[in-house]
Amino acid sequence: MEQPIAVKKLRPGARLPVYGSAQAAGADLFACLEAPVTVAPGETAWIPTGLAMELPAGYVGLVYARSGLATKQGLAPANKVGVVDADYRGELLVALYNHGPAPRTVEDGDRVAQLVVTPYLTGRFYEAEDLSPTQRGAGGFGSTGRN
């Protein structure tokens, strides 16, 4: 299923998001840089994409790490998953954090993250005296899968 999404280039050299294969869920986001950016170990750098977009109401853009960049170079979004709300019209920026032991350089045009566009539900939260029981109950982290 395709959803038209208006994208505005904010600076020369910006590239529209691109899917790497016919059934890829995430579209690659590209760095739009005037000069290379080096990210030191344990540091975060803001990488501009040069793009703004108009996501339809009821949709969200989720910015995830690119698996190759994260596993081979140690660069992944600092916030783990970025959230682009449908009413945001500013530039898409990727906060890349260097998890590795060596400095890494990002060049103009490098694929720096992937964007997954998905519908979402808005919860209507209300206070309740009780919650329905489940087999898991209040079991938290690591509580499932035990014999």
Side-chain angles (χ1 to χ4, degrees):
M1 181 173 105
E2 289 188 1
Q3 173 67 50
I5 298 172
V7 180
K8 180 178 181 180
K9 290 184 178 182
L10 301 175
R11 59 181 94 190
R15 296 176 58 182
L16 295 180
V18 173
Y19 291 98
S21 69
Q23 294 191 24
D28 290 331
L29 295 174
F30 299 89
C32 185
L33 302 169
E34 293 179 13
V37 173
T38 299
V39 187
E43 301 224 346
T44 300
W46 289 96
I47 307 298
T49 65
L51 302 175
M53 63 179 55
E54 184 176 338
L55 293 168
Y59 285 78
V60 63
L62 301 175
V63 180
Y64 292 100
R66 291 194 65 257
S67 58
L69 189 65
T71 59
K72 295 177 183 172
Q73 294 192 39
L75 294 176
N79 54 343
K80 307 305 177 208
V81 178
V83 175
V84 182
D85 294 312
D87 58 353
Y88 177 66
R89 295 294 184 271
E91 182 173 12
L92 297 183
L93 301 170
V94 177
L96 277 186
Y97 179 81
N98 185 347
H99 294 272
R104 295 294 184 190
T105 300
V106 178
E107 305 274 349
D108 181 53
D110 283 354
R111 297 176 295 169
V112 292
Q114 57 182 322
L115 178 73
V116 175
V117 177
T118 188
Y120 67 90
L121 299 174
T122 300
R124 184 181 52 81
F125 303 100
Y126 63 94
E127 186 174 351
E129 291 292 323
D130 294 302
L131 303 177
S132 62
T134 66
Q135 184 176 3
R136 180 177 181 173
F141 296 105
S143 66
T144 62
R146 292 188 202 165
N147 293 335

